[in-house]
Amino acid sequence: MPEGDGRIRPGRPGLCPSRNFANPVPHILAPLLFVLIWSSGFLVGRGVAAYADPFWFLALRFTCVCAVLACAAIGARVAWPRGVRHVGMHLLAGALMSGFYLGPSWWAMSRDLPAGIMALIGALQPLFTALIAVSVQRKRLTGATWAGLALGFGGVALVLWPRLAATDSSALSLPVVMLAAASILSLTIGSMVQKSPWATGDLRSAGAIQNLGAAVVLVGMAFVFGQPRWDGSPLLWGYLAYAVLVLSVAGTSLLIWMMRRGEATRTTALLLAVPPLSALQGWFIFGETMVPLQILGFAVAMAGVALARR
């Protein structure tokens, strides 16, 4: 969480005092920590499926995140966003980045879309971000950035290729795949909203409002699409605690922190490292096999991320 009183300063929206920029350590460790946290999300989704309805799990998760961040903001006495436009942009960012992203993507996996396919679709986000930056924001990206994105996506494809080859084509219905892609586009647009001057402020108070937007969307989805399934086992509550404190409070806050301080395409390029790391974690935790082609893909994806972030 950023230091300071959380007030919005002209020309430096939502940023920490300048002394933090003299210290390069957060800018080196934050990306590494982010990809490690974010890549574990697929493992949580896989684990939760056996114990609870995904929509109700997500709805409870983001309700808890909203409460945790609100208590942190109140305890630290930071400033809260004011005005309809500021509050509305935070609600929109949360609804897009978490509600309309995780709800449809978890639904797609519950409809037999393999997690590997979802991870490959998710790797499109840096490309979506680059296309929006070029076509809408009129930004010019370097050749190294485009080459890094292409190399990273190729590495992701190599990591996931053995799973793709073993996938039953009947599981890849067009509506499910299109909805999964739309969820990634929602995450992309929500991430771009974070760059807006109307979505600034302390990460605790702003995060509480954003997660309220996500919770509203996911509660609605739970009532429409969910099933009342929750076994209440200690393992399920452990998954919930990890999802709230690590995936959301730590992981999403890191993403927003990096989005506010860096160029959007360079930040989202980190997501190309997520599927390979997920595969590596699956090998380590669940004993899933990794063939030499996947190891090569891991190295290629990491090289692409490094090139795109130069």
Side-chain angles (χ1 to χ4, degrees), residues 55 58 95-96 98-111 113 118 176 178-184 186 217-218 221:
F55 289 107
L58 289 172
L96 289 172
S98 298
F100 290 111
Y101 161 53
L102 286 177
S105 61
W106 280 41
W107 177 85
M109 287 188 286
S110 73
R111 303 291 292 184
L113 182 71
M118 188 66 235
V176 172
M178 292 297 291
L179 187 62
S183 74
I184 302 304
S186 175
V217 170
L218 289 163
M221 289 184 179

Side-chain angles (χ1 to χ4, degrees), residues 58-70 80-81 86-100 194 203-221 248-249 252 256:
L58 289 172
L60 182 57
R61 166 185 167 181
F62 286 100
T63 300
C64 292
V65 175
C66 176
V68 168
L69 293 178
W80 287 76
H86 275 101
V87 174
M89 289 298 286
H90 284 299
L91 290 172
L92 176 63
L96 289 172
M97 285 189 65
S98 298
F100 290 111
Q194 293 293 345
L203 288 182
R204 289 158 288 194
S205 56
I209 296 175
Q210 290 187 16
N211 281 279
L212 175 61
V216 169
V217 170
L218 289 163
V219 167
M221 289 184 179
S248 288
V249 173
T252 304
I256 295 172

Side-chain angles (χ1 to χ4, degrees), residues 56-217:
W56 284 108
F57 180 88
L58 289 172
L60 182 57
R61 166 185 167 181
F62 286 100
T63 300
C64 292
V65 175
C66 176
V68 168
L69 293 178
C71 290
I74 293 170
R77 297 182 179 179
V78 299
W80 287 76
R82 296 181 179 180
V84 174
R85 184 170 294 183
H86 275 101
V87 174
M89 289 298 286
H90 284 299
L91 290 172
L92 176 63
L96 289 172
M97 285 189 65
S98 298
F100 290 111
Y101 161 53
L102 286 177
S105 61
W106 280 41
W107 177 85
M109 287 188 286
S110 73
R111 303 291 292 184
D112 298 326
L113 182 71
I117 303 293
M118 188 66 235
L120 184 60
I121 296 173
L124 292 172
Q125 196 210 345
L127 180 59
F128 285 160
T129 303
L131 293 176
I132 292 174
V134 171
S135 61
V136 178
Q137 299 179 325
R138 303 300 180 186
K139 292 185 177 181
R140 297 185 63 182
L141 303 181
T142 65
T145 300
W146 286 112
L149 293 176
L151 191 64
F153 188 77
V156 170
L158 289 176
V159 170
L160 299 178
W161 183 256
R163 297 183 184 178
L164 299 179
T167 298
D168 184 358
S169 61
S170 63
L172 302 179
S173 67
L174 182 60
V176 172
V177 172
M178 292 297 291
L179 187 62
S183 74
I184 302 304
L185 183 59
S186 175
L187 174 62
T188 304
I189 297 173
S191 299
M192 303 298 285
V193 171
Q194 293 293 345
K195 299 291 291 181
S196 165
W198 299 108
T200 56
D202 188 275
L203 288 182
R204 289 158 288 194
S205 56
I209 296 175
Q210 290 187 16
N211 281 279
L212 175 61
V216 169
V217 170

Side-chain angles (χ1 to χ4, degrees), residues 269-284:
L270 289 168
L271 297 179
L272 291 169
V274 169
L277 282 175
S278 294
L280 188 63
Q281 291 170 4
W283 166 77
F284 182 75

